[in-house]
């Protein structure tokens, strides 16, 4: 299988630093910390208080996909995790495994490409485990509006060494409608591509976007963010 990008299958690697925040490619030694972080954020953000997400619903998929994913984390200089995001990468036509969205929503990549009338996509990535700890932002007196920067920092880490042209990548994810609207506001051109599935007390929709469209949008509408995402020089992986 072609190597799409550095994945999180070894020790953590420091990628970049901006002010008091550090960007890391998280390694396998962080899996327990990663699971606990995501579980805590999701239980606070995604449930109505009547139940708790079982740890196994976070840890089991982590065990299955961590070695096929690029997992990034933003840490405060103290070492505490503030945000995480990971991409599970797949070459179109690779049948050795299915992305989470293919399984949960019964949406094969080929069908998605056909329905979206896309013929230049070579790679698909399933965004997963996006989490920003609002309590940590308050603890370190980071303005909540800066959460957009945390997302940009994570996107920068996830996409900084993807080979080839951005137009050849299709991003996929499942998200509730409010999160979908937030991502649209910050410039990620998600489209809802199917009916929702109800879990963790919310309806979550399958969504897709072309990475090339996001890159073009940032360049035209947010040149400072574009420069940070694609032109900033940082530590090599």
């Amino acid at each position: 299988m072609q190597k799409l990008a550095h994945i999180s299958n070894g020790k953590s690697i420091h990628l970049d630093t901006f002010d008091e925040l550090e960007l890391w490619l998280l390694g396998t030694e962080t899996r327990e910390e990663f699971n606990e972080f995501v579980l805590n954020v999701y239980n606070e953000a995604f449930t109505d208080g009547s139940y708790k997400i079982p740890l196994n619903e976070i840890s089991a998929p982590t065990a299955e996909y961590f070695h096929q994913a690029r997992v990034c984390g933003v840490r405060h200089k103290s070492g505490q995790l503030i945000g995480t995001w990971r991409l599970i990468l797949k070459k179109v036509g690779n049948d050795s495994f299915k992305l989470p969205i293919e399984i949960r929503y019964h949406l094969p990549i080929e069908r998605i490409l056909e329905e979206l009338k896309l013929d230049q996509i070579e790679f698909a990535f399933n965004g997963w485990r996006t989490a920003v700890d609002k309590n940590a932002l308050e603890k370190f007196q980071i303005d909540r509006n800066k959460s957009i920067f945390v997302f940009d920092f994570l996107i920068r880490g996830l996409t900084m060494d993807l080979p080839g042209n951005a137009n050849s990548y299709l991003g996929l994810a499942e998200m509730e409608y409010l999160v979908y609207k937030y991502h649209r506001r910050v410039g990620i051109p998600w489209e809802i591509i199917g009916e929702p599935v109800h879990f963790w007390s919310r309806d979550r929709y399958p969504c897709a976007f072309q990475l090339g469209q996001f890159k073009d949008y940032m360049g035209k509408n947010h040149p400072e963010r574009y420069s940070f995402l694609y032109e900033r020089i940082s530590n090599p992986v």
Side-chain angles (χ1 to χ4, degrees):
M1 176 180 173
Q2 178 180 353
K3 182 179 180 181
L4 304 186
H6 289 86
I7 60 174
S8 297
N9 202 24
K11 294 188 65 175
S12 295
I13 300 172
H14 176 234
L15 300 176
D16 200 0
T17 298
F18 191 90
D19 292 338
E20 295 186 336
L21 301 182
E22 299 174 350
L23 175 66
W24 287 82
L25 179 67
L26 299 180
T28 52
E29 84 280 2
T30 69
R31 278 173 47 175
E32 184 174 340
E33 177 192 17
F34 173 83
N35 287 335
E36 181 178 352
F37 175 82
V38 171
L39 183 68
N40 289 339
V41 172
Y42 282 15
N43 268 323
E44 181 171 333
F46 292 160
T47 66
D48 60 7
S50 63
Y51 71 99
K52 293 291 186 181
I53 299 169
L55 175 59
N56 181 64
E57 292 190 20
I58 301 296
S59 61
T62 297
E64 180 177 0
Y65 286 111
F66 204 94
H67 66 288
Q68 294 166 323
R70 182 174 173 87
V71 187
C72 282
V74 171
R75 295 186 184 275
H76 183 260
K77 66 179 183 180
S78 65
Q80 182 173 334
L81 266 179
I82 291 176
T84 62
W85 204 342
R86 73 178 184 177
L87 300 184
I88 304 168
L89 304 163
K90 178 177 177 177
K91 184 174 175 60
V92 173
N94 173 24
D95 296 325
S96 64
F97 73 99
K98 294 185 182 298
L99 296 174
I101 201 169
E102 293 185 271
I103 298 172
R104 193 190 300 276
Y105 294 87
H106 306 291
L107 284 173
I109 299 299
E110 291 73 18
R111 189 201 306 174
I112 295 172
L113 296 179
E114 181 179 350
E115 292 183 356
L116 295 179
K117 296 180 172 57
L118 299 175
D119 57 9
Q120 59 181 344
I121 301 298
E122 298 180 53
F123 309 104
F125 59 81
N126 200 144
W128 228 31
R129 299 303 188 240
T130 311
V132 174
D133 186 346
K134 295 179 180 179
N135 293 326
L137 295 181
E138 293 181 358
K139 173 182 176 180
F140 296 116
Q141 299 182 328
I142 300 170
D143 191 322
R144 286 196 178 189
N145 290 330
K146 199 175 181 180
S147 65
I148 294 177
F149 170 78
V150 175
F151 278 112
D152 280 351
F153 215 7
L154 289 165
I155 292 171
R156 170 172 164 72
L158 292 169
T159 62
M160 63 181 4
D161 72 341
L162 293 178
N165 192 295
N167 290 323
S168 64
Y169 286 86
L170 181 71
L172 300 163
E174 53 191 48
M175 63 187 78
E176 62 181 290
Y177 191 67
L178 286 176
V179 175
Y180 161 80
K181 290 199 297 183
Y182 173 79
H183 278 223
R184 294 275 300 183
R185 285 200 303 272
V186 302
I188 306 177
W190 291 106
E191 296 179 53
I192 293 175
I193 57 173
E195 294 300 315
V197 170
H198 189 85
F199 64 99
W200 294 347
S201 79
R202 307 285 177 86
D203 284 338
R204 288 177 168 75
Y205 294 83
C207 302
F209 81 100
Q210 291 179 266
L211 186 58
Q213 288 183 352
F214 170 71
K215 189 173 181 178
D216 291 344
Y217 178 87
M218 286 292 106
K220 292 176 183 177
N221 298 282
H222 301 283
E224 291 185 0
R225 290 174 63 194
Y226 177 92
S227 178
F228 178 79
L229 285 164
Y230 297 108
E231 297 174 348
R232 177 177 168 83
I233 298 174
S234 62
N235 302 331
V237 177

